[in-house]
Amino acid sequence: MRSELKKINGKRLKFVDEFDKFGTKSNYHGFPETTILLKNIKDETGKIVSDHLWFNFTKSFEKLSDPIPGDVIQFEARVKPYTKGYV
């Protein structure tokens, strides 16, 4: 499904999705960092552009008041490619 994201590469748009769960990953120095899993990511028209995406748990996400699975979240983001892991 990420092929839909390729079509809008470089554009900043509004997205709506569902919170699924928190996770962790190791940062560059080996320390744990909190992540957030969002599923069923839809664009402004309601079209699903990805079945799931992991995000860093940034200050913007910290403003959410204790999300539970299934909570609907709306955010704006610029679509851009990434490299998995550390380079």
Side-chain angles (χ1 to χ4, degrees):
M1 282 216 186
R2 298 211 177 146
S3 59
E4 294 298 321
L5 288 174
K6 286 183 182 179
K7 295 175 186 176
I8 53 176
N9 184 28
K11 295 182 181 176
R12 184 173 183 85
L13 301 170
K14 286 185 183 178
F15 297 93
V16 177
D17 53 56
E18 298 174 37
F19 169 78
D20 191 31
K21 64 181 179 178
F22 291 104
T24 58
K25 69 175 184 176
S26 295
N27 67 12
Y28 181 73
H29 299 288
F31 297 109
E33 283 187 5
T34 303
T35 56
I36 184 171
L37 175 61
L38 304 176
K39 63 180 185 177
N40 300 324
I41 294 91
K42 299 174 186 172
D43 64 10
E44 296 171 312
T45 65
K47 181 179 180 183
I48 293 182
V49 294
S50 181
D51 58 345
H52 76 282
L53 289 172
W54 284 96
F55 290 89
N56 291 328
F57 191 59
T58 61
K59 289 183 181 183
S60 296
F61 286 125
E62 286 177 5
K63 292 178 184 177
L64 301 174
S65 57
D66 298 322
I68 57 173
D71 279 355
V72 176
I73 298 172
Q74 180 177 329
F75 63 96
E76 287 187 16
R78 184 176 318 281
V79 178
K80 64 179 186 176
Y82 70 98
T83 303
K84 188 173 182 177
Y86 292 102
V87 179

